[in-house]
């Protein structure tokens, strides 16, 4: 909350950012906890970067979520 919800509320943007829900803007980075390599990145809710390892692990689930 300290890095997302509270600043969004302070700026009056809590309906658009600061949380994960449908129709909210989402910038998300998924890191590999062992190598610190970026596995996937979403900007404004759109998947813009991913590794083949990431797709092997969760790619079948992304087809349900990605438009």
């Amino acid at each position: 909350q300290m890095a997302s919800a509270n600043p969004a509320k302070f700026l009056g943007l809590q309906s658009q950012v600061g949380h994960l829900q449908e129709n909210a803007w989402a910038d998300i980075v998924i890191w590999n906890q062992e190598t610190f390599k970026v596995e996937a990145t979403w900007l404004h809710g759109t998947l813009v970067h991913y590794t083949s390892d990431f797709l092997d692990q969760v790619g079948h689930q992304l087809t349900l979520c990605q438009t």
Side-chain angles (χ1 to χ4, degrees), residues 6-31:
N6 291 341
K9 186 175 181 180
F10 176 78
L11 295 171
L13 299 172
Q14 65 270 22
S15 66
Q16 299 161 326
V17 296
H19 54 276
L20 295 176
Q21 72 178 44
E22 189 175 355
N23 296 321
W25 300 343
D27 294 342
I28 301 170
V29 177
I30 298 192
W31 300 82

Side-chain angles (χ1 to χ4, degrees), residues 27-29 39-51 66:
D27 294 342
I28 301 170
V29 177
E39 296 287 335
T41 306
W42 285 263
L43 296 175
H44 298 289
T46 300
L47 182 62
V48 296
H49 165 79
Y50 53 88
T51 64
Q66 228 15 53

